[in-house]
Amino acid sequence: MALRFYNTLTQQTEDFQPLHDNVVRMYTCGPTVYNYVHIGNLRAFTFQDILRRVLRARGYTLDHVMNITDVEDKIIRDAAAAHKSIFEFTEVYTKAFLEDCATLRLQRPERLVKATEHIHDMGLAVEKLTQKGFTYVSDGSVYFRIASFPGYGKLSHNDFSGIRAGARVDVDEYDKDDARDFVLWKAQKEGEPAWDEPCGKGRPGWHIECSVMAMKYLGETLDIHTGGVDLTFPHHENEIAQSEALTGKPFVRFWLHSEHLSVDGQKMSKSLGNFYTLRDLVAKGFSPESVRYLLVSVPYRKKLNFTFDGLKAAATSIDRLRNYKLRLETGKFGEGSNPAIADRAAAAVTAFEDSLDDDLNTAEALAAMFEYVRDTNAAMDSGEFLSGNRDAALEFLTRFDCIFDVLTPSARANEGLSDTEIESLIGERAAAKKSRSFARADEIRAQLAAQGVILEDTKEGVRWKRQ
Ligand code: AMP
Ligand code: ZN
């Protein structure tokens, strides 16, 4: 069966093939690094990991770019509150994000690119859009005139033709009902970081960051662009408008969007405070594999409700598979090979692969594995499973784990806080002292001491060591 994906742009499930050769050119909107990511964010990145692995298993080579958004409204706000430059501030969370991805066994994209390292390219793109007549300036900021791009709305399937011309929006995130001309280049405000470009002294808007970095590395037309469903509007709609206005060519062939992780029916989010980080869950004794399994157990386009019971069930499922593997490796089976069991293995592999080809239906793929495990366990009990059937079963487990990657246990990750977390808390304590919040500063010192981390205030700054 052919590999196929649901494409948000066409609202159809379509057969997938890359445009050029065997190489899939793919872009993922990466994190905005202003805090630790929560497992809702990580659901989006885990979906991309499954996508990567399935594409590779089908023989494609990947050229996958993920950006790190390291200049943006929330970053500027929070870095200022922490009395840090945006570079110092985002470095901590970029490192933490990459650590979390590694803990969850997410394969690294071929290229990780930072927005702040491409500001000049962004300035040039804004200039070019101006030359082509898609922009206007107001109070020193440059805006994209959405009425000048007839395709506006084609991704989110909205008709924006009736909106008020000339109404503008400066913030990066807003609702569909609030569709307006969006900012490409923000004029510098007092105390904000800024770059000198021909389009003015200021900084890029969030949307132009992704268009520029995607096309710089992947060309004018990408095979796949992914992100969480909340990015469809305005972010991806704006990416299309800017990119296609620049090139006159289709920006992306396949748009894939992953659904949210929710808690009690509400989206997990920092602003609602209903979130868990991977670090929280590992500190509670859950393995990273259990979190990974839980996040991929539901197909990416379906909502997934997070519960601790679900997480425990994920751990139990992994145990079943590991016990099965152990039984295969160490069990004593009769001589020969049972053709019925061999057929059962071949059918299970086909069902597994077909499910993944069907828009990454991970739930069906897991079901194919567990039905096979149930049937062959029963065949082992009854003596029908023979030693000649062992290799096919192990082969299937290997194929399975190339995608799901949960069979090998992680080294126990309960050594307490990571260096990044400790340094982040020390930074927070310094900021608290500076703003004379001594109670908070003492609280942080006590929190670190409880985790076995001792602080020493010296003339050169704070030193720390583990007890
Ligand atoms: P951000 O760092 O806020 O730009 O988000 C990074 C990614 O996480 C984006 O692709 C979001 O769509 C995604 N995301 C945010 N919250 C959730 C959630 N509760 N469930 C799934 N994905 C989410
Ligand atoms: Zn993006």
Side-chain angles (χ1 to χ4, degrees):
M1 220 177 276
L3 179 59
R4 55 201 181 279
F5 301 127
Y6 180 83
N7 186 349
T8 310
L9 185 65
T10 58
Q11 298 183 303
Q12 309 275 335
T13 302
E14 296 168 41
D15 286 358
F16 174 78
Q17 251 163 7
L19 196 56
H20 301 292
D21 321 318
N22 211 33
V23 181
V24 178
R25 291 165 176 82
M26 174 157 113
Y27 185 86
T28 289
C29 290
T32 304
V33 278
Y34 72 109
N35 209 323
Y36 295 103
V37 288
H38 55 66
I39 55 166
N41 303 125
L42 287 170
R43 183 184 187 199
F45 299 114
T46 310
F47 142 65
Q48 281 134 198
D49 181 64
I50 297 288
L51 174 61
R52 281 184 60 91
R53 288 170 184 253
V54 169
L55 287 165
R56 291 179 84 180
R58 299 297 171 265
Y60 294 118
T61 302
L62 291 180
D63 192 355
H64 181 191
V65 175
M66 179 160 80
N67 69 298
I68 302 281
T69 301
D70 59 350
V71 53
E72 179 266 359
D73 299 346
K74 295 191 288 286
I75 292 176
I76 293 172
R77 177 196 69 195
D78 291 0
H83 306 288
K84 285 185 177 176
S85 73
I86 58 166
F87 300 102
E88 292 166 301
F89 183 76
T90 55
E91 196 187 350
V92 176
Y93 298 113
T94 305
K95 199 165 160 229
F97 169 71
L98 296 177
E99 280 173 10
D100 285 349
C101 290
T103 306
L104 266 191
R105 306 175 180 191
L106 308 186
Q107 291 180 347
R108 274 251 190 141
E110 280 61 32
R111 307 174 212 239
L112 274 174
V113 295
K114 288 186 180 173
T116 51
E117 290 171 4
H118 298 80
I119 303 282
H120 183 57
D121 293 319
M122 294 164 194
L124 290 177
V126 174
E127 269 303 281
K128 197 167 165 200
L129 283 170
T130 298
Q131 283 157 14
K132 291 183 156 223
F134 289 97
T135 72
Y136 60 90
V137 176
S138 174
D139 290 337
S141 292
V142 185
Y143 296 85
F144 188 95
R145 190 191 307 278
I146 61 178
S148 65
F149 182 73
Y152 198 78
K154 66 181 169 183
L155 182 69
S156 52
H157 302 281
N158 274 295
D159 179 6
F160 292 118
S161 55
I163 69 164
R164 275 188 302 138
R168 300 180 291 282
V169 55
D170 287 299
V171 290
D172 286 325
E173 292 172 80
Y174 48 89
D175 293 332
K176 279 185 194 132
D177 309 334
D178 213 17
R180 301 190 225 166
D181 294 344
F182 60 90
V183 69
L184 292 165
W185 189 262
K186 304 190 193 205
Q188 183 179 25
K189 290 203 192 107
E190 173 92 29
E192 286 194 349
W195 288 261
D196 238 333
E197 290 294 331
C199 50
K201 187 161 189 186
R203 63 178 166 105
W206 173 36
H207 316 297
I208 193 76
E209 295 181 2
C210 281
S211 285
V212 166
M213 289 185 282
M215 292 196 293
K216 175 170 178 119
Y217 295 103
L218 300 173
E220 293 175 339
T221 300
L222 283 53
D223 290 307
I224 302 178
H225 193 314
T226 72
V229 66
D230 55 326
L231 301 188
T232 312
F233 189 89
H235 186 50
H236 293 162
E237 196 71 66
N238 292 351
E239 278 189 40
I240 292 178
Q242 300 160 149
S243 307
E244 298 190 358
L246 279 168
T247 68
K249 304 206 178 104
F251 174 44
V252 170
R253 299 170 57 232
F254 283 76
W255 283 95
L256 272 58
H257 289 105
S258 57
E259 253 301 344
H260 286 143
L261 184 70
S262 55
V263 183
D264 299 328
Q266 273 187 309
K267 177 185 167 191
M268 183 178 281
S269 74
K270 279 166 200 144
S271 53
L272 291 173
N274 60 350
F275 65 91
Y276 294 98
T277 63
L278 181 60
R279 288 144 202 261
D280 295 332
L281 298 177
V282 170
K284 283 180 195 291
F286 293 99
S287 70
E289 309 90 90
S290 305
V291 179
R292 177 174 169 92
Y293 186 102
L294 177 71
L295 294 179
V296 302
S297 59
V298 170
Y300 74 96
R301 288 202 305 121
K302 288 217 165 89
K303 283 208 171 63
L304 166 57
N305 195 41
F306 173 80
T307 62
F308 280 98
D309 282 346
L311 193 51
K312 285 179 201 148
T316 309
S317 300
I318 296 173
D319 280 346
R320 269 187 71 201
L321 293 173
R322 288 180 183 166
N323 290 338
Y324 175 73
K325 183 160 182 255
L326 195 67
R327 189 174 186 189
L328 279 173
E329 285 164 345
T330 58
K332 298 266 175 288
F333 308 111
E335 290 279 299
S337 176
N338 181 339
I341 305 281
D343 288 350
R344 182 69 191 83
V349 171
T350 305
F352 177 80
E353 303 291 358
D354 284 354
S355 304
L356 292 174
D357 282 349
D358 183 13
D359 196 25
L360 310 177
N361 192 333
T362 44
E364 292 276 332
L366 286 169
M369 171 51 87
F370 277 100
E371 279 164 29
Y372 172 75
V373 168
R374 191 194 55 212
D375 291 353
T376 46
N377 260 326
M380 289 180 205
D381 294 342
S382 66
E384 289 162 78
F385 189 98
L386 301 176
S387 53
N389 296 120
R390 192 197 318 246
D391 283 354
L394 286 170
E395 216 299 74
F396 184 19
L397 281 177
T398 305
R399 263 177 196 251
F400 166 87
D401 220 35
C402 275
I403 310 293
F404 285 89
D405 204 353
V406 291
L407 292 181
T408 313
S410 297
R412 287 298 303 149
N414 56 358
E415 301 109 19
L417 296 172
S418 68
D419 292 7
T420 332
E421 286 168 313
I422 294 169
E423 274 150 25
S424 155
L425 281 165
I426 291 175
E428 216 184 292
R429 177 171 167 264
K433 279 172 118 180
K434 210 165 179 179
S435 58
R436 309 191 68 74
S437 315
F438 295 110
R440 175 72 189 129
D442 288 345
E443 196 179 290
I444 293 171
R445 177 191 275 277
Q447 188 185 342
L448 286 165
Q451 302 267 357
V453 178
I454 305 302
L455 302 188
E456 201 189 328
D457 288 305
T458 72
K459 275 202 213 99
E460 290 80 42
V462 181
R463 281 208 212 111
W464 63 270
K465 61 171 191 252
R466 289 196 172 85
Q467 255 176 339

